[in-house]
Every structure is written in C-alpha cells, then in structure tokens.
Amino acid sequence: MHHIGEQEPPARLRTTPSWLLTQTAAHASRLVGDSFAGVGARGYHYRVLATLDEFGPASQADLGRRGGIDRSDVVATVNELTARDLVVRAPDPTDRRRNVITLTAAGRTELHRMGQALAEVQETLLAPLTSTEREQLTRLLGKLLDHHTRSRR
C-alpha cells in the first residue's frame, strides 16, 4: 500500500473507515480519470451517456439530477458530446424552452468503449480482493451510500 520513502500515516487514521474510504476514493478517481483520458473522454461523458442509454431521451436538468452533475457542467458536457455526434440536442416538442438530449448510435458505441475501460479500472482497483470480497465490498458500499443518500432527502 505504501511506496518506499513514503511516510506511513498514524494508525488512528489507517484504521478509520472514513479515512480509508477517502483515500481509496481518491485513488479510484485518479484511475478512472486516467483511463477515460486514455480513450479521449471524461467521467461526465460516461455519466451522461449511461443515463441516456438506461432511461432514454432526457432534458439537461434530468441528466444533471440523475448523474449528479451541476447544471453548468451538464451544459458543457452536452456541448462536448454534441460536437462529437454522440448525442443530439433538440427542442422539447412539449416545451420549446427546454432541450431534449438523445443518445446516437455513435454515442452507444462510445459508451460501450468507455464501459470496457471502466471495467479494466475495476480490475485494477480491486485486484487484491477475491470475487466474494468484491461482491461484499460493493454491497456494503451501496448500503452505506443508500443510507446516507436517503437521510439527506
């Protein structure tokens, strides 16, 4: 876990779940960012494409809510994806003041490519764990996130 020359943090940190989660999340974020950069993409691209693939055409506001992306970042992300023909932005026929974003065939292909890169990241991140431990970790993290997400509503 530590490289030669690195200072080891105090035991009271190394045994604190919040510290362990924060450190692991930072490492995971770097791995994901580097992997997506390697395929010319960003995490927000994946979030938007995955949301459109799963839920169908959506407004920019809905994409932001579902993907946990700030409104201004959704606009920039949709602009980037539109420029690459991965999504199409068109006025909503029921409300001309808003746009509806739709995934294109090229967007679906890109989502698949990014999904493969993300799967490789999971392998790297979880390398020391057995498949049973991976399932347990994923289930427990999901349980924690679900609890804390529900308590904020």
Side-chain angles (χ1 to χ4, degrees):
M1 185 171 180
H2 300 287
H3 301 292
I4 296 173
E6 273 190 32
Q7 298 294 316
E8 189 167 295
R12 65 179 56 177
L13 285 179
R14 292 191 322 267
T15 58
T16 305
S18 57
W19 188 84
L20 293 167
L21 283 167
T22 301
Q23 297 304 304
T24 304
H27 182 66
S29 182
R30 280 191 301 276
L31 288 173
V32 170
D34 291 349
S35 178
F36 282 163
V39 296
R42 296 187 306 116
Y44 282 171
H45 295 167
Y46 185 81
R47 290 188 200 186
V48 167
L49 296 175
T51 299
L52 291 171
D53 186 55
E54 184 169 337
F55 299 104
S59 70
Q60 292 179 166
D62 287 342
L63 287 173
R65 281 190 291 273
R66 286 194 185 273
I69 306 170
D70 183 75
R71 185 172 31 211
S72 62
D73 291 327
V74 171
V75 172
T77 301
V78 168
N79 288 345
E80 292 165 5
L81 295 173
T82 300
R84 294 174 57 196
D85 297 320
L86 302 178
V87 301
V88 173
R89 178 184 3 222
D92 184 338
T94 63
D95 182 353
R96 307 294 283 178
R97 293 168 299 174
R98 69 180 203 152
N99 291 313
V100 172
I101 315 305
T102 305
L103 186 63
T104 65
R108 198 165 274 110
T109 299
E110 178 66 5
L111 176 62
H112 178 72
R113 190 170 76 107
M114 291 180 75
Q116 289 177 313
L118 193 57
E120 291 172 16
V121 166
Q122 306 314 303
E123 285 302 312
T124 301
L125 180 66
L126 303 175
L129 303 180
T130 67
S131 60
T132 300
E133 289 170 330
R134 291 174 186 204
E135 290 170 14
Q136 289 172 330
L137 177 65
T138 302
R139 183 179 50 76
L140 291 171
L141 289 172
K143 185 175 181 178
L144 281 172
L145 184 59
D146 183 54
H147 170 79
H148 292 291
T149 302
R150 269 189 285 113
S151 67
R152 280 198 319 236
R153 289 182 191 152

